[in-house]
Amino acid sequence: MIKKKLTAQKLFMENQSLFKCPICNEMMLIKDFTLCCYHNHSFDISKKGYLNLLTANNVSIYPKALFLSRKRICKLGLYNPLINEIINIICKSNPVYILDAGCGEGSHLVNLYNKCGLRNKYIGIDISKESIKIATNNLENIMWCVADTSRLPFQSSSFDLILNILAPANYSEFLRVLKNDGMIIKVIPGKLYLQELRAVIYQNEKLKYSNYEVKSLFYQELAVVESICVKYQFTVKEELVHDLVTMTPLSFGKIDLNIFKGDFVVTVDLEILLGKKK
Ligand SMILES: C[S@@+](CC[C@H](N)C(=O)[O-])C[C@H]1O[C@@H](n2cnc3c(N)ncnc32)[C@H](O)[C@@H]1O
Ligand SMILES: [Zn+2]
């Protein structure tokens, strides 16, 4: 544990100028294992190596089981084609400071880190402490923080790239912390995303999904550079179908896992929206 804390301390210290106090907005410095502002508001680096920068005790709507299942499903490669597209974009634009806002258990950011090199600075934030605790299993060169996208604990104009993958956005905060020539990559579900799962769970009641509103908001807030559709099918082996079911909020109703028999083929239908400041 102490090794993790030391690794995190070094990373946070090297990048302390990125942070602003979530209480008084002052700049912050690392003293020993604590991030402190001028007014002595302080946030300790945890044993696992993350910083909890929430000012209120937010209760995440997602249970720990969802993140553990999500991690196993990511490891299987469900999102690999999506991540490969994002890697292509990153390679073209060469961002240095990368923020994953709503990073969950961190698999996507870890994948990007492994493929895009050590030169970049990676920060993953999520409002769920459970998800960030899981993410810290991959500390390496990534800074993990429990934080709220509606009150980002970062200085203005800090990031070259903000990723927001299947998570809620807060555009006023995103635009504040984004550099003038920075880019936002938002990933949203297309209308066929996991349709086979929805068909079983909802028995066709909520089969129709539209991303119209979330997409319209992106177009309203940003100058859209590109929109890329990523659509494919993926087979999940029978023994891992329960993870597929548990990794999404779709499963929040009580579901009898026995209704799933055999390997399960799902459609992954996602849209990557790329935007810049207007
Ligand atoms: C469906 S999960 C996606 C997680 C991850 N991006 C992925 O694709 O695996 C949505 C995530 O958004 C996070 N989230 C929701 N509201 C948030 C907020 N206000 N600030 C930070 N994270 C938030 C949730 O805790 C959850 O981890
Ligand atoms: Zn302060």
Side-chain angles (χ1 to χ4, degrees):
M1 282 294 187
I2 189 69
K3 184 166 175 275
K4 283 199 154 193
K5 211 168 161 174
L6 283 168
T7 308
Q9 181 202 38
K10 182 170 175 285
L11 264 177
F12 284 121
M13 194 176 280
E14 283 166 4
N15 296 287
Q16 58 192 357
S17 61
L18 284 179
F19 291 87
K20 77 166 180 130
C21 176
I23 298 169
C24 68
N25 294 328
E26 284 288 341
M27 57 179 282
M28 303 192 89
L29 293 174
I30 292 280
K31 289 185 198 152
D32 298 324
F33 291 99
T34 304
L35 187 67
C36 286
C37 78
Y38 173 72
H39 292 118
N40 254 340
H41 299 125
S42 61
F43 302 85
D44 295 338
I45 300 173
S46 75
K47 279 191 202 138
K48 289 186 125 251
Y50 64 86
L51 271 174
N52 185 345
L53 296 165
L54 284 181
T55 50
N57 228 349
N58 292 50
V59 180
S60 167
I61 55 161
Y62 296 145
K64 182 176 175 185
L66 177 145
F67 295 112
L68 290 172
S69 288
R70 214 169 169 81
K71 188 176 165 83
R72 286 189 286 266
I73 290 289
C74 286
K75 203 166 171 203
L76 274 187
L78 182 73
Y79 294 105
N80 281 0
L82 167 76
I83 299 304
N84 289 339
E85 281 293 344
I86 296 177
I87 289 168
N88 287 340
I89 300 165
I90 293 186
C91 289
K92 278 188 228 153
S93 61
N94 270 326
V96 178
Y97 289 94
I98 301 174
L99 172 68
D100 187 354
C103 64
E105 42 66 49
S107 292
H108 303 324
L109 199 56
V110 171
N111 258 331
L112 293 175
Y113 166 73
N114 285 333
K115 302 208 173 111
C116 295
L118 307 175
R119 196 183 70 93
N120 306 334
K121 313 283 185 188
Y122 300 85
I123 299 195
I125 67 145
D126 201 283
I127 203 163
S128 153
K129 199 197 303 192
E130 289 303 339
S131 74
I132 292 296
K133 277 186 184 166
I134 300 170
T136 54
N137 291 332
N138 309 281
L139 202 53
E140 311 264 346
N141 241 357
I142 304 177
M143 289 168 269
W144 301 107
C145 304
V146 185
D148 187 347
T149 49
S150 66
R151 193 168 164 74
L152 290 172
F154 303 114
Q155 299 288 347
S156 301
S157 305
S158 293
F159 293 96
D160 300 288
L161 175 65
I162 297 175
L163 299 165
N164 182 230
I165 306 176
L166 302 170
N170 183 300
Y171 292 111
S172 59
E173 275 298 81
F174 287 2
L175 289 167
R176 181 183 66 77
V177 301
L178 191 68
K179 290 184 184 170
N180 279 343
D181 57 352
M183 184 161 63
I184 297 180
I185 296 182
K186 181 165 179 68
V187 177
I188 59 173
K191 67 171 189 260
L192 303 180
Y193 182 59
L194 305 182
Q195 60 170 346
E196 300 81 359
L197 201 53
R198 278 184 282 138
V200 179
I201 294 173
Y202 297 123
Q203 283 144 21
N204 295 331
E205 274 169 49
K206 285 197 200 170
L207 251 185
K208 285 203 186 99
Y209 166 78
S210 163
N211 60 19
Y212 177 78
E213 274 179 32
V214 57
K215 204 167 156 177
S216 302
L217 189 60
F218 190 88
Y219 275 73
Q220 197 178 303
E221 298 288 340
L222 296 152
V224 177
V225 179
E226 205 178 345
S227 137
I228 303 165
C229 288
V230 189
K231 201 193 295 179
Y232 50 93
Q233 292 205 305
F234 191 89
T235 304
V236 179
K237 292 257 172 248
E238 181 168 16
E239 59 273 22
L240 286 163
V241 170
H242 71 278
D243 277 329
L244 181 73
V245 177
T246 315
M247 70 141 206
T248 87
L250 292 173
S251 64
F252 281 3
K254 298 143 264 84
I255 296 165
D256 176 8
L257 284 168
N258 293 320
I259 54 179
F260 294 91
K261 296 275 178 247
D263 295 354
F264 195 79
V265 179
V266 274
T267 303
V268 182
D269 177 17
L270 298 164
E271 194 164 349
I272 307 174
L273 305 172
L274 274 69
K276 294 209 156 207
K277 283 189 179 183
K278 279 190 177 171

